[in-house]
Amino acid sequence: MSDLSEAGQEFDSDVVIVGAGPAGLMLANLLGGYGRTVTVLEARDDLIDFPRGVGLDDESFRTIQAVGLVDTVRPHTNPHHIMRLVNGAGKVILVNDPKTDEFGWERKHGFIQPEVDRALYEGLARFDGVRVLFGHEVDDVVEDADAVTAIARTTGGEVRIRARYLVGCEGGKSPTRKRLGTTFEGESPATRWLVVDVNNDPLGTPNVFLGADPKRPYVSIGLPHAVRRWEFMLRDGETEEQVTDPAFVDALLRDHVPDPSSLDFIRRRVFTHHGRVAGSFRKGRQMIAGDAAHLMPVWMGQGWNSGVRDATNLAWKLATVLRGQAADTLLDTYTAERKEHAQAMVDLSLTFGKFIKITNPIVAAGRDAASTVLNLFPGVKSYFADMRFKPMPRYTRGVLADPNTIASGVAAPTLTRRLVPVRSANTDVSPVGVQFIQPRVMSADAVDARLDDVIGPWWSVIVWGNSPEDVLPERSLAQLRELGARLVAIVPETQRPWLECAAGPDVLVLGDHTGRVKTWFDDRPTPMVFLRPDRFVAGACLAQDGPATLDAILRAMSFRQAASTSTPTPVETPAAAKLARA
């Protein structure tokens, strides 16, 4: 799998990934889809085979879609996973039941992590340039001006892998993070929990119950494949040997199942929540992702998802630098964009945990009473039900162009220009720095298809109601061609035949048959959108601001002119294959 660099130096891979957990496996799939060579080094002899994470969100499912593994992952999920917070009497005091699907998938899923991780691993077989080496424990890394060399210990001796970049995805004790010399600040609460997983779910009820019981807070989760998880908060003085004893576990479960002794146990394990975020995710040619970069308390189910967000953000940037399209200063935007949201999710999870694990009966009664009162207000109730308390990723620094000033590398969260279209819009919230929606669309080759499957895996410029070729000058179109961006025009489905005849052959014309795209653009005075490969909006503007906005985006990503213009080959997904046959 050797690849010669432009300087004539031999590399074993473009990227070495240390750790075959979810972040590492997803990053390898994304890089493989972008045509890069990857070596994954895993110290274990196989993937971890016991349940860990249990929550998968819509953002992660969009990335699973991007790597073409929906059909292999979907059977291991429970879509639309509802969470109910109950008090010590079993009364529901809060419901989290989001029904939005703006990113193309259900907001929350229960899942079996070992099965999904294995689907990610087996998906790597599609890429000739990607390999996973088990039983390879990285002892050291040597970095020079041109490369990084991972030195791994195996049963057969020492192995050296030379690559352009290394990404450490080896968990919370990450040696890569320690080599970076960065901080890892946060909390490690003294509270311990016992996790109990069983087969042949003895309850059979779906969804999630968080038991805010002051006597002993607990969690009960219905999972795919008839797996049931319980988690019980442990008291000071209860030892690990004591709480994992079958008799002790049976006593904990007597309030939950009629006959605990007959359960088919998968595991009984003690764990402690951690909430920490690294000070930087990159130094030189080495980066960190997933638990190596941040440890998430379990309450919001964001550990697995946060690692996937890291991979989604980092993969296209590595691919861009490796293709020679940008200076490697582009990789500095990885920390700038991801750290703030990772910290926000850690803070929210810690706060939510403190709300649940109250053990003072008087304080717990006050909490329950306050929750009952708040539920009387529809706005407050829907705030929790629709999961609007969860901070969505919003990048204010990075590969962005400010929609007000068209400044490069930054984006204010609100629209403040005094133009009439801006002042009369339905919202002043800027679409720059957040994910674009994924509605279903129509095209000459697609019927009711998800947007991402139609526009492809790389950059896109999307224009409402017109062709990009008609509103952008040739200089901007040439820049977009060098970037490898797809030109996309979206119109009401009634107008699609007209524009398909009027637009040039390089423009993808899509029909908005559901009206959701029209609604999005109607609410925002930004009919031109520059969409990054990770589906975040890099710039959004009026048509006349398009050239300046594109210039600002290219400066923010340290774009190099006259680089390779070949776009990544799309991963062959069932949806893509259907479109190709149409």
Side-chain angles (χ1 to χ4, degrees):
M1 192 185 357
S2 295
D3 179 40
L4 292 180
S5 73
E6 294 176 1
Q9 295 175 306
E10 187 171 338
F11 292 87
D12 298 294
S13 292
D14 291 325
V15 179
V16 167
I17 297 172
V18 184
L25 292 171
M26 183 60 82
L27 181 59
N29 272 279
L30 287 162
L31 288 171
Y34 292 144
R36 309 319 308 181
T37 57
V38 181
T39 298
V40 182
L41 302 176
E42 169 56 50
R44 295 173 178 267
D45 293 329
D46 200 351
L47 301 179
I48 295 176
D49 62 355
F50 54 79
R52 290 171 291 155
V54 294
L56 191 159
D57 65 19
D58 51 349
E59 297 171 62
S60 290
F61 228 104
R62 193 173 190 178
T63 300
I64 291 167
Q65 175 192 354
V67 297
L69 294 177
V70 166
D71 287 350
T72 54
V73 167
R74 195 82 163 156
H76 308 300
T77 68
N78 282 340
H80 193 60
H81 217 204
I82 301 169
M83 184 274 290
R84 293 180 175 87
L85 180 65
V86 301
N87 63 17
K91 179 183 178 181
V92 175
I93 58 177
L94 184 152
V95 176
N96 176 218
D97 181 18
K99 295 181 173 65
T100 55
D101 62 349
E102 62 265 42
F103 299 144
W105 301 97
E106 297 88 352
R107 194 76 183 274
K108 295 173 62 180
H109 306 71
F111 80 122
I112 302 295
Q113 182 176 342
E115 298 294 342
V116 173
D117 287 357
R118 187 156 296 279
L120 295 180
Y121 166 64
E122 292 175 351
L124 297 175
R126 299 169 295 171
F127 309 116
D128 293 337
V130 179
R131 59 178 175 170
V132 180
L133 303 179
F134 290 104
H136 284 61
E137 184 168 1
V138 176
D139 286 334
D140 197 10
V141 173
V142 178
E143 181 175 340
D144 58 44
D146 302 309
V148 61
T149 301
I151 303 170
R153 175 168 31 93
T154 74
T155 55
E158 183 181 278
V159 173
R160 290 174 175 256
I161 306 294
R162 181 176 170 84
R164 297 292 190 99
Y165 295 97
L166 179 146
V167 185
C169 304
E170 67 269 69
K173 297 180 180 180
S174 168
T176 304
R177 185 187 64 247
K178 295 173 183 176
R179 282 193 300 273
L180 299 188
T182 187
T183 58
F184 200 43
E185 297 180 353
E187 298 181 31
S188 291
T191 307
R192 298 167 303 136
W193 292 75
L194 174 69
V195 60
V196 179
D197 292 316
V198 302
N199 285 314
N200 305 319
D201 186 350
L203 299 183
T205 57
N207 303 315
V208 182
F209 295 87
L210 301 183
D213 186 345
K215 296 192 296 296
R216 189 186 293 271
Y218 67 89
V219 182
S220 177
I221 309 173
L223 293 170
H225 306 335
V227 172
R228 168 69 53 174
R229 166 170 293 185
W230 283 279
E231 297 174 12
F232 297 96
M233 193 174 86
L234 301 179
R235 302 187 181 105
D236 293 341
E238 292 177 334
T239 67
E240 183 168 353
E241 180 181 12
Q242 174 189 358
V243 301
T244 55
D245 180 83
F248 186 92
V249 176
D250 286 356
L252 290 178
L253 291 172
R254 283 199 186 100
D255 287 340
H256 298 267
V257 294
D259 182 13
S261 64
S262 65
L263 298 179
D264 178 10
F265 289 94
I266 300 173
R267 67 166 180 166
R268 309 172 184 87
R269 185 175 180 179
V270 175
F271 69 95
T272 301
H273 295 172
H274 299 275
R276 296 181 178 273
V277 179
S280 175
F281 295 2
R282 182 217 177 184
K283 182 179 180 182
R285 294 185 174 273
Q286 299 182 59
M287 285 143 279
I288 50 177
D291 285 354
H294 38 69
L295 288 173
M296 294 280 165
V298 302
W299 298 111
M300 298 303 300
Q302 288 299 303
W304 197 93
N305 298 292
S306 294
V308 170
R309 289 192 193 98
D310 292 345
T312 309
N313 184 285
L314 180 58
W316 74 267
K317 297 175 181 179
L318 280 168
T320 300
V321 172
L322 289 165
R323 294 171 67 200
Q325 283 193 311
D328 80 346
T329 51
L330 171 61
L331 301 177
D332 290 334
T333 67
Y334 170 50
T335 299
E337 293 183 348
R338 280 296 304 134
K339 180 184 174 183
E340 184 177 344
H341 183 258
Q343 185 66 63
M345 288 309 310
V346 166
D347 293 345
L348 177 63
S349 296
L350 286 170
T351 300
F352 199 61
K354 291 173 182 177
F355 181 80
I356 293 169
K357 62 185 186 181
I358 294 171
T359 55
N360 184 308
I362 297 175
V363 177
R367 174 202 59 201
D368 298 349
S371 299
T372 300
V373 171
L374 290 175
N375 273 320
L376 298 175
F377 296 90
V380 175
K381 188 173 182 179
S382 67
Y383 179 76
F384 290 101
D386 296 336
M387 208 173 177
R388 286 185 280 127
F389 57 86
K390 174 189 170 186
M392 298 299 292
R394 171 178 283 281
Y395 303 149
T396 58
R397 295 181 299 123
V399 183
L400 307 166
D402 186 82
N404 302 300
T405 65
I406 317 184
S408 177
V410 295
T414 57
L415 300 171
T416 58
R417 293 182 74 181
R418 302 307 299 164
L419 292 173
V420 170
V422 178
R423 288 188 286 118
S424 60
N426 286 342
T427 179
D428 64 355
V429 177
S430 170
V432 178
V434 299
Q435 279 197 61
F436 193 63
I437 59 173
Q438 186 183 196
R440 290 183 176 270
V441 294
M442 308 283 277
S443 76
D445 299 322
V447 176
D448 195 42
R450 289 186 174 91
L451 177 68
D452 294 357
D453 288 331
V454 181
I455 64 175
W458 204 238
W459 284 82
S460 299
V461 55
I462 299 175
V463 175
W464 171 259
N466 208 336
S467 167
E469 291 183 330
D470 291 337
V471 293
L472 288 172
E474 177 54 36
R475 181 180 71 86
S476 297
L477 294 172
Q479 290 174 319
L480 290 167
R481 284 192 291 268
E482 286 203 40
L483 183 60
R486 190 79 179 265
L487 305 180
V488 182
I490 301 185
V491 293
E493 174 62 13
T494 55
Q495 295 185 43
R496 181 168 61 86
W498 158 75
L499 192 54
E500 285 174 342
C501 294
D506 294 332
V507 176
L508 173 65
V509 179
L510 301 180
D512 172 31
H513 64 296
T514 67
R516 296 182 74 170
V517 184
K518 180 175 180 289
T519 297
W520 191 93
F521 280 105
D522 184 58
D523 287 341
R524 298 162 180 83
T526 51
M528 180 177 290
V529 171
F530 295 89
L531 196 60
R532 305 179 348 173
D534 58 5
R535 310 311 183 188
F536 277 76
V537 177
C541 58
L542 297 170
Q544 287 190 346
D545 288 328
T549 299
L550 176 58
D551 287 343
I553 293 169
L554 296 178
R555 288 197 302 275
M557 64 180 289
S558 306
F559 184 70
R560 286 176 170 169
Q561 300 287 340
S564 169
T565 58
S566 60
T567 57
T569 302
V571 174
E572 183 72 2
T573 68
K578 182 178 180 180
L579 293 178
R581 292 192 298 268

